[in-house]
Amino acid sequence: SMMREISGINETEEKLKQALGLEDVVVVQGDSDKEPWVKNELGRACAVRMKAALTGNNIIAVTGGSTMAAVADVLTPDISAKRQLLFVPARGGIGEDVANQANTICAKMAERTGGKHRVLYVPDQVSPEVYKSVVNEPSIKEVLTLIKQADIVLHGIGEAMTMAERRKTGKEEMEKIIRGHAVGEAFGYYFNEQGEIVHKVRTIGLQLEDLHRIRHVFAVAGGASKAKAIKAYMNTKPESTVLITDEGAAKQILAWR
Ligand code: F6P
């Protein structure tokens, strides 16, 4: 639109696409660190992109976090007109507060769009023994099968230390995250600046390698404080990922070039 041209957003998107080697990015105005409403704008942009990706019967895997919660807040029934949407949590609970848990967010997304949802009640940090028995539990198996069939993924990206602290990560793992110079986190994986995995929270559900098979992946994260995290995650070369971010993060990433 005219507004976007005047404000230079289109140019910022182009530059960011090149800087991060992505095929598609969306930049919304503002900085979500400073103005809370910017998160809702991220949510709206995500909703528009998601709507365009819907084909009929879609399974949408969703992660937790306040940004994903903001996406849920702005969804409306018209998004799913004449469509069957099923929302599933991408991974087992990874230590978020209830409002920011993928289970809660999926329920809200389903409610707001007139779709369906499934829950995945598994703790974060499952031991190898629990993991083996839990994945064979019929109700969990069913959800895991649905997650594997997802054709759309919506996920957040977080700053590594913020996430490690928010999850009340234990001492040993904390040291691993610090020693590995982690700067970003997504799906329970912690990344260094090069995009290498330095730590992984062991839980069931979507794994990073599964993303390659998924047609539409939307990464939604904004705020200058997440610039390093976003850049690091994009270094993992997530081919089909569309980044939805804000000017706060975009300008910081571009300033480093
Ligand atoms: O814990 C789920 C999660 O999606 C993380 O993978 C991510 O780092 C974080 O939430 C983002 O949270 P927020 O949107 O609140 O910054």
Side-chain angles (χ1 to χ4, degrees):
S1 73
M2 198 64 176
M3 264 314 288
R4 289 172 67 81
E5 275 162 45
I6 292 167
S7 63
I9 286 264
N10 291 350
E11 204 187 321
T12 307
E13 285 174 345
E14 269 317 305
K15 284 186 185 155
L16 196 60
K17 234 160 57 173
Q18 280 172 23
L20 298 175
L22 290 175
E23 270 176 32
D24 199 3
V25 305
V26 180
V27 176
V28 304
Q29 272 177 315
D31 182 337
S32 39
D33 286 344
K34 294 185 190 136
E35 298 129 325
W37 53 264
V38 178
K39 258 188 199 171
N40 293 69
E41 288 308 309
L42 289 173
R44 263 184 272 279
C46 178
V48 169
R49 287 313 182 97
M50 182 175 101
K51 188 176 180 183
L54 297 175
T55 50
N57 297 343
N58 294 94
I59 300 179
I60 303 156
V62 185
T63 70
S66 62
T67 311
M68 282 300 121
V71 175
D73 281 340
V74 298
L75 294 185
T76 48
D78 73 284
I79 285 171
S80 60
K82 298 195 200 90
R83 294 186 173 104
Q84 288 279 322
L85 304 188
L86 174 64
F87 295 91
V88 291
R91 312 232 308 160
I94 31 184
E96 292 274 17
D97 286 337
V98 174
N100 287 341
Q101 264 173 31
N103 281 326
T104 315
I105 293 168
C106 284
K108 193 169 204 179
M109 287 182 167
E111 188 188 305
R112 295 192 60 99
T113 60
K116 293 192 163 69
H117 75 102
R118 291 286 195 284
V119 291
L120 191 58
Y121 287 130
V122 284
D124 66 337
Q125 302 292 347
V126 288
S127 66
E129 304 80 59
V130 169
Y131 180 92
K132 266 188 223 136
S133 62
V134 137
V135 291
N136 287 313
E137 183 63 33
S139 62
I140 290 175
K141 228 179 176 170
E142 192 221 335
V143 182
L144 290 177
T145 306
L146 292 170
I147 293 171
K148 299 277 172 194
Q149 290 167 6
D151 44 14
I152 298 176
V153 170
L154 311 180
H155 73 93
I157 300 171
E159 194 274 315
M161 287 317 288
T162 306
M163 288 315 298
E165 275 158 26
R166 196 159 101 186
R167 289 174 176 153
K168 304 183 177 62
T169 306
K171 191 163 171 274
E172 246 172 66
E173 286 181 65
M174 201 62 151
E175 276 164 10
K176 199 173 158 204
I177 292 166
I178 295 168
R179 245 186 298 120
H181 301 286
V183 295
E185 191 282 345
F187 303 102
Y189 294 79
Y190 288 82
F191 305 92
N192 65 15
E193 278 194 54
Q194 287 70 47
E196 294 155 349
I197 298 164
V198 300
H199 177 61
K200 177 187 171 190
V201 180
R202 195 191 313 111
T203 188
I204 63 171
L206 198 82
Q207 307 297 315
L208 204 57
E209 59 265 27
D210 296 329
L211 287 185
H212 301 293
R213 298 185 286 94
I214 295 171
R215 186 117 35 100
H216 302 282
V217 182
F218 300 102
V220 193
S225 64
K226 284 192 185 179
K228 256 198 186 141
I230 294 167
K231 193 165 181 257
Y233 178 72
M234 294 309 159
N235 261 330
T236 66
K237 296 275 170 291
E239 303 129 63
S240 61
T241 297
V242 176
L243 170 67
I244 298 169
T245 190
D246 61 21
E247 280 181 310
K251 289 197 169 143
Q252 181 60 260
I253 293 170
L254 293 173
W256 286 323
R257 282 209 301 167

